[in-house]
């Protein structure tokens, strides 16, 4: 018998429909007598109950047979026994209780066959529908597994990029200022620990992402001082989510590709557009020679957003370089 309550309710509903359908002539003929004769009431009631029970059992039989992959011969023999059992019970009731003549037995056989046909049709419909649902669930699971594999691959590509640039900065500071390098190392370990804990998540809150970004900017400003200016205008960061390490990557790219000096300070702006659910990270342009780069960082970032949000990032360059990231409300 089907274990799913919704499936059982469906089978009972179909069984009741089949019982009413095949017994419609009997119900119609007994209508004038229903209010006067208890025997007529019993006749109609038992015809419907027995037919509905038979239909329910037959649908469950076909349903279970498809699940257990029974042979065709076994299905036919068991189905025939069920049909014979119904015909014998209903015929016996008609002759013994209702006192109907033997010539009415063919009508029982006809109703049994008709019910078997209805039950078979609906049981096959139920089986095929369930099989389609199982395929859809399996496909969705495969899609999610594939998505996770792609995201893991993208994260693995981003991590070396972040670590390599951070170590380069630390190496420079060790030669320039040992005291600053110690402080930088402490802050760097905090940033790395924080970023490693975040990267296992598909999304983090904008507030968490900005906390990491602010720590990263602090490290950069230890090196560049007043030559690196960052303006933040973040509205309701706790209300939005974003793939982790997204903003930090763009800040890192701005520093990597532009000249930063007292004569050419770098301006970075991080501004949310709460109405459109997005955040704009822009920077002034004074590109280093041969600083085009491979574009892997931005390509990976765009792919992460496409996989997770079905939206892509926007890249604009008109006097300044700007990347607009979608936010999840």
């Amino acid at each position: 018998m089907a274990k799913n309550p919704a499936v059982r309710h469906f089978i009972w509903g179909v069984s009741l429909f089949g019982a009413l359908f095949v017994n419609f002539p009997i119900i119609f003929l007994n209508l004038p007598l229903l209010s006067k004769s208890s025997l007529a009431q019993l006749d109609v009631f038992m015809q419907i109950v027995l037919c509905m029970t038979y239909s329910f059992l037959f649908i469950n039989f076909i349903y279970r047979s498809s699940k257990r992959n029974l042979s065709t011969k076994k299905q036919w023999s068991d189905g025939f026994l069920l049909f014979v059992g119904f015909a014998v019970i209903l015929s016996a009731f008609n002759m013994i209780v209702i006192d109907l003549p033997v010539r009415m037995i063919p009508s029982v056989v006809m109703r049994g066959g008709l019910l078997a046909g209805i039950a078979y049709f609906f049981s096959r419909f139920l089986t095929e529908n369930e099989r389609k649902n199982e395929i859809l669930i399996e496909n969705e699971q495969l899609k999610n597994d594939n998505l996770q594999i792609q995201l893991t691959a993208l994260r693995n590509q981003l991590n070396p990029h972040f670590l390599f640039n951070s170590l380069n900065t630390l190496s420079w500071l060790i030669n320039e200022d040992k005291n600053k390098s110690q402080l930088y190392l402490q802050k760097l370990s905090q940033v790395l620990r924080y970023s490693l804990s975040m990267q296992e998540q598909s999304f983090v809150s904008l507030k968490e992402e900005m906390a990491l970004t602010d720590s990263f900017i602090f490290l950069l400003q230890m090196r560049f001082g007043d030559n690196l200016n960052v303006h933040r205008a973040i509205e309701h960061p706790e209300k939005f989510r974003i793939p982790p390490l997204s903003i930090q990557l763009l800040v890192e790219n701005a520093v990597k590709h532009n000249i930063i000096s007292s004569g050419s300070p770098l301006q970075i702006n991080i501004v949310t557009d709460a109405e459109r659910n997005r955040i704009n990270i822009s920077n002034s342009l004074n590109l280093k020679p041969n600083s085009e780069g491979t574009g892997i960082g931005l390509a990976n970032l765009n792919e992460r957003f496409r996989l997770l949000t079905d939206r892509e990032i926007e890249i604009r360059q008109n006097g300044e370089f700007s990347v607009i990231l979608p936010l999840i409300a």
Side-chain angles (χ1 to χ4, degrees):
M1 187 175 293
K3 297 179 180 180
N4 191 327
V7 173
R8 286 202 303 271
H9 293 156
F10 173 79
I11 294 175
W12 276 118
V14 170
S15 300
L16 178 59
F17 164 78
L20 292 173
F21 177 76
V22 300
N23 286 295
F24 178 78
I26 295 174
I27 298 172
F28 181 77
L29 292 173
N30 279 286
L31 275 178
L33 303 174
L34 287 178
S35 60
K36 303 175 182 179
S37 171
S38 58
L39 189 61
Q41 295 173 4
L42 178 64
D43 182 20
V44 171
F45 176 76
M46 290 305 299
Q47 300 291 335
I48 293 175
V49 168
L50 290 173
C51 287
M52 184 170 68
T53 303
Y54 165 68
S55 179
F56 180 82
L57 293 175
F58 204 95
I59 293 176
N60 268 290
F61 163 70
I62 299 296
Y63 180 75
R64 283 187 289 107
S65 297
S66 63
K67 291 287 184 182
R68 294 160 56 188
N69 295 319
L70 295 179
S71 65
T72 304
K73 182 178 180 180
K74 177 67 174 174
Q75 290 185 44
W76 275 100
S77 62
D78 289 353
F80 180 74
L81 289 176
L82 187 60
F83 170 75
V84 170
F86 163 77
V88 169
I89 292 172
L90 187 55
S91 297
F93 169 79
N94 286 339
M95 289 187 294
I96 298 172
V97 179
I98 308 299
D99 197 25
L100 291 178
V102 176
R103 66 174 182 272
M104 296 301 297
I105 291 179
S107 73
V108 173
V109 174
M110 182 184 69
R111 278 182 286 162
L114 188 57
L115 276 174
I118 294 174
Y120 179 81
F121 170 78
F122 277 102
S123 62
R124 296 305 300 176
F125 167 79
L126 188 65
T127 303
E128 290 301 320
N129 189 61
E130 191 171 86
R131 188 171 295 143
K132 287 179 182 178
N133 288 337
E134 289 174 353
I135 292 173
L136 287 175
I137 292 172
E138 184 178 347
N139 288 341
E140 190 65 27
Q141 184 62 46
L142 290 173
K143 181 180 177 181
N144 290 336
D145 291 344
N146 184 53
L147 173 63
Q148 192 60 45
I149 291 171
Q150 293 181 63
L151 288 173
T152 301
L154 291 172
R155 286 169 183 153
N156 291 338
Q157 292 178 21
L158 287 172
N159 290 338
H161 184 254
F162 168 65
L163 185 59
F164 176 77
N165 285 282
S166 299
L167 292 177
N168 272 348
T169 302
L170 177 61
S171 175
W172 182 88
L173 274 177
I174 289 173
N175 295 325
E176 293 293 322
D177 190 327
K178 290 186 178 180
N179 291 330
K180 274 191 175 182
S181 67
Q182 292 297 321
L183 179 59
Y184 184 92
L185 184 58
Q186 293 175 12
K187 292 292 184 181
L188 176 59
S189 65
Q190 293 176 7
V191 171
L192 287 174
R193 186 162 54 248
Y194 189 27
S195 64
L196 286 171
S197 66
M198 290 170 62
Q199 70 168 338
E200 298 302 324
Q201 306 174 56
S202 297
F203 292 100
V204 295
S205 70
L206 181 58
K207 184 177 182 179
E208 291 177 300
E209 177 71 7
M210 286 308 304
L212 171 64
T213 303
D214 288 343
S215 298
F216 184 69
I217 290 171
F218 175 82
L219 297 178
L220 293 174
Q221 287 179 329
M222 286 183 64
R223 174 180 176 183
F224 296 108
D226 294 337
N227 298 328
L228 175 63
N229 301 310
V230 180
H231 169 68
R232 301 164 74 259
I234 309 297
E235 298 180 19
H236 310 297
E238 68 282 348
K239 291 175 57 177
F240 298 101
R241 294 183 301 148
I242 191 171
L245 306 177
S246 303
I247 300 175
Q248 176 268 330
L249 172 67
L250 297 176
V251 172
E252 184 181 8
N253 276 352
V255 172
K256 177 182 177 182
H257 294 295
N258 288 279
I259 296 171
I260 305 176
S261 65
S262 57
S264 179
L266 178 65
Q267 177 67 43
I268 298 176
N269 300 308
I270 306 174
V271 182
T272 54
D273 184 350
E275 292 184 0
R276 299 184 181 181
N277 291 352
R278 63 186 191 177
I279 185 168
N280 186 359
I281 299 91
S282 61
N283 60 268
S284 56
L285 280 175
N286 188 12
L287 295 174
K288 297 175 182 177
N290 302 318
S291 65
E292 292 82 2
T294 61
I296 291 177
L298 286 176
N300 285 352
L301 185 64
N302 185 63
E303 185 67 6
R304 289 174 67 201
F305 272 86
R306 188 186 66 80
L307 290 171
L308 288 169
T309 69
D310 288 329
R311 297 164 65 187
E312 297 191 356
I313 68 177
E314 295 181 39
I315 300 175
R316 300 175 182 175
Q317 186 169 331
N318 185 16
E320 65 177 11
F321 187 80
S322 177
V323 179
I324 300 173
L325 304 178
L327 295 174
I328 307 300

